[in-house]
Amino acid sequence: MQTFLQDIRFALRQLRKHPGFALTAILSLALGIGATVSVFSIIYAVLMNPWPYPGADRICQVFFLDRAGNEDSWRGLTGPQVRQLGHAHAVENVMGITGWSLTVTGGDVPEDVQGIYLTGNGLQFLGLPAMLGRNFLPSDAPDGQEPQQVVVLSHKFWQRHFNGDPTVVGKTIQLVHKSYTILGVLPLRFTWLDGDVYLPLKLATSESMEYGAMIKIRPGVSRTAAAAELQPLFQQFAKETPTHFPKQYKLELRNISYRYVHELGGTLGLLFGAVGLLLAIGCGNVSILLLARGTARQHEFAVRSAVGASGFRIVRQLLTESLLLALTGAGLGVLLAYRSLGWIVARLPEYSFPHEADFHVNIPVLSFSVGLALLTGVVFGLFPALQLARPQISQVMQSSTRKVAGTVRGKQWHSVLIAGQIALTLLLMSAAGTAIQGFVRMMRIPLGYDPHHVMSVGIPVHDNTYTTLGERVNYFEQLREKIAALPDVVATGISTNATPPNNGWDQPFEFLGKGSPPEVNALAVLCEASTPNRGCSINPHSRQFQHHRSNAAAKL
């Protein structure tokens, strides 16, 4: 232990004597490790561990693919079909879902909130206990009966509307002029479908009522096997409600992380490759610095060897110095990662990652960074240490200078080091620059219009209000005229959802009098006309959460 402390004190003295060398090596590692740890933290939060729900890897959505493997449209399941789906052997549990725009009434100012309706087992399906109070249970929504007028609040809504009141459980809240008893408050990371309030759902028997369905497959059952078992069942559903299903399809189960992995995985992988190359540049610089520093210290090691220092002691001293540099660089890199993580997350597209994702430098990331620092110190400190462990004492001691930089061999070795450093740095910088340019291109895909100074505001229409088409047209037109009259508004418009990229859905229709009526995607045609060279699509499962809602778009 005493010898180890001596090695550390001697290493610190050496670094203080050569601050330029120490700062260059530490900053090279700090920048590389800081960037790598930041991006790895995002990858871990988005792709590896985004969900707080137990068994999230077994929670799946049903998708329909056409012959080309593209997603086909699907409208949803009826209440009886949702119940029947839960009886499949491969399925452990099923949750029915729908969404509705609600308004908090009874106060001075109405507040628009997003209500998510789940079947009575829904919160048990997701498996995350309430932070305050309790979740609603199947007993709060008996099958075939009207559910109890109870509600569970999201954490953000609880903070925003009730100022985090811990006594809120048991109180009532008025939603669209109906009173609901507050059962509990959900944890911060429970943000399923970005709901503000969660209510129990009654599954209707009517074929006109459609619901989304989430499936949790049994442990040990693959998604492919579960899809093969469910294929005949969905073929039966298609016969019962043919207008809800595409004509020809292949059923596929996808994990709830599929969309994020599919859409953001390549981008994050490219970014991780770029910062990985940056780390490689830093490690390469440190290795060359260590080699050059070791070469310049040949006289010192020859003297130490002459007075009895063993090769093992010299190797240990050099490894101590390199590990001290590596750990210091890693510490600064982790601090840099803490500072830069929020900056990077703020620049990710809003809906490109689950809002349940918890972005922080956690234990796996810290383990990764410390391990990387140790590996850097050992690998790039071991090579010069082994080279200098047995110095040629007679040759070095006969030299008239303490350094060998002036000898022919020293000059040649330094020239090789400098040339290698320049070549390696240029190569890695070129690769990193290419990767970063690719990442920037992926993050700046043109929308087909200028989104600046454009605001889209949702306009909910509740049950039993504006029931006729004329009343709704008049209501929307009055709102549009009032918005257009504002002094800073240049233009206004009303649409179901006309703000790319989240706009439109497949809507087939028929031409009367045709023997074999073709199917035409009207909204896609309109979207393509307004956004040249770009198609128009929407996740078919998200339609269910936009009932009776229009958007007012205004250009300021």
Side-chain angles (χ1 to χ4, degrees), residues 212-295:
M214 300 299 299
I215 298 173
K216 180 178 285 187
I217 58 179
R218 295 185 183 278
V221 178
S222 67
R223 289 193 292 272
T224 303
E229 180 184 337
L230 295 178
Q231 181 84 27
L233 182 60
F234 274 85
Q235 290 174 350
Q236 175 187 335
F237 292 164
K239 293 178 181 179
E240 296 171 355
T241 53
T243 58
H244 292 196
F245 291 82
K247 291 184 177 179
Q248 294 181 345
Y249 63 86
K250 176 184 177 182
L251 186 145
E252 182 175 281
L253 293 182
R254 293 176 178 173
N255 181 263
I256 52 176
S257 295
Y258 174 85
R259 183 171 70 88
Y260 304 105
V261 174
H262 182 71
E263 294 181 358
L264 197 61
T267 304
L268 290 179
L270 189 62
L271 182 60
F272 187 70
V275 298
L277 289 172
L278 178 63
L279 178 59
I281 293 173
C283 292
N285 288 337
V286 171
S287 67
I288 293 174
L289 286 172
L290 289 173
L291 286 171
R293 177 69 185 143
T295 303

Side-chain angles (χ1 to χ4, degrees), residues 108-141:
D108 296 334
V109 179
E111 180 181 356
D112 187 27
V113 297
Q114 181 63 36
I116 301 299
Y117 290 81
L118 308 174
T119 47
N121 68 325
L123 295 179
Q124 290 179 319
F125 176 97
L126 295 171
L128 208 60
M131 185 190 71
L132 294 177
R134 68 173 178 88
N135 295 331
F136 57 75
L137 305 171
S139 58
D140 295 308

Side-chain angles (χ1 to χ4, degrees), residues 17-69:
K17 288 180 180 179
H18 303 87
F21 160 76
L23 288 176
T24 302
I26 290 172
L27 289 178
S28 296
L29 284 177
L31 290 175
I33 290 177
T36 305
V37 169
S38 298
V39 176
F40 184 84
S41 299
I42 294 174
I43 291 176
Y44 182 84
V46 174
L47 305 181
M48 300 172 64
N49 186 35
W51 310 102
Y53 315 115
D57 58 320
R58 297 185 287 115
I59 299 177
C60 303
Q61 280 182 289
V62 178
F63 284 82
F64 293 95
L65 308 180
D66 59 20
R67 292 179 177 178

Side-chain angles (χ1 to χ4, degrees), residues 200-416:
L201 169 67
K202 176 188 176 181
L203 293 176
T205 58
S206 172
E207 291 186 2
S208 62
M209 292 297 297
E210 307 157 10
Y211 305 96
M214 300 299 299
I215 298 173
K216 180 178 285 187
I217 58 179
R218 295 185 183 278
V221 178
S222 67
R223 289 193 292 272
T224 303
E229 180 184 337
L230 295 178
Q231 181 84 27
L233 182 60
F234 274 85
Q235 290 174 350
Q236 175 187 335
F237 292 164
K239 293 178 181 179
E240 296 171 355
T241 53
T243 58
H244 292 196
F245 291 82
K247 291 184 177 179
Q248 294 181 345
Y249 63 86
K250 176 184 177 182
L251 186 145
E252 182 175 281
L253 293 182
R254 293 176 178 173
N255 181 263
I256 52 176
S257 295
Y258 174 85
R259 183 171 70 88
Y260 304 105
V261 174
H262 182 71
E263 294 181 358
L264 197 61
T267 304
L268 290 179
L270 189 62
L271 182 60
F272 187 70
V275 298
L277 289 172
L278 178 63
L279 178 59
I281 293 173
C283 292
N285 288 337
V286 171
S287 67
I288 293 174
L289 286 172
L290 289 173
L291 286 171
R293 177 69 185 143
T295 303
R297 297 173 64 185
Q298 281 192 0
H299 188 275
E300 171 196 337
F301 295 128
V303 171
R304 294 183 65 179
S305 180
V307 297
S310 65
F312 174 76
R313 182 63 187 273
I314 293 175
V315 169
R316 190 177 66 184
Q317 178 62 50
L318 285 174
L319 281 179
T320 302
E321 293 180 15
S322 61
L323 283 175
L324 189 60
L325 287 174
L327 289 175
T328 305
L332 289 178
V334 171
L335 179 61
L336 179 64
Y338 273 104
R339 297 293 185 180
S340 61
L341 182 60
W343 185 87
I344 298 176
V345 172
R347 280 153 181 79
L348 292 176
E350 183 179 1
Y351 294 103
S352 63
F353 57 88
H355 288 174
E356 288 90 340
D358 184 19
F359 295 99
H360 68 278
V361 180
N362 46 30
I363 293 177
V365 180
L366 286 175
S367 301
F368 171 79
S369 61
V370 172
L372 192 62
L374 293 175
L375 181 65
T376 302
V378 171
V379 172
F380 297 114
L382 187 61
F383 179 71
L386 293 176
Q387 292 288 325
L388 300 173
R390 296 182 178 276
Q392 298 178 0
I393 299 176
S394 58
Q395 178 180 351
V396 175
M397 296 301 291
Q398 289 174 3
S399 176
S400 60
T401 178
R402 293 178 56 86
K403 299 181 181 179
V404 296
T407 65
V408 174
R409 181 184 175 188
K411 289 181 179 180
Q412 291 177 344
W413 183 236
H414 276 256
S415 298
V416 170

Side-chain angles (χ1 to χ4, degrees), residues 44 64 90-91 95 144 147 149 190 197 209-210 261 298 316 321 362 373 444 450 468 476 503 547:
Y44 182 84
F64 293 95
V91 176
M95 173 178 63
Q149 291 192 187
F190 192 110
V197 293
M209 292 297 297
E210 307 157 10
V261 174
Q298 281 192 0
R316 190 177 66 184
E321 293 180 15
N362 46 30
R444 294 183 178 178
D450 184 5
T468 66
F476 292 141
N503 59 308
H547 290 307

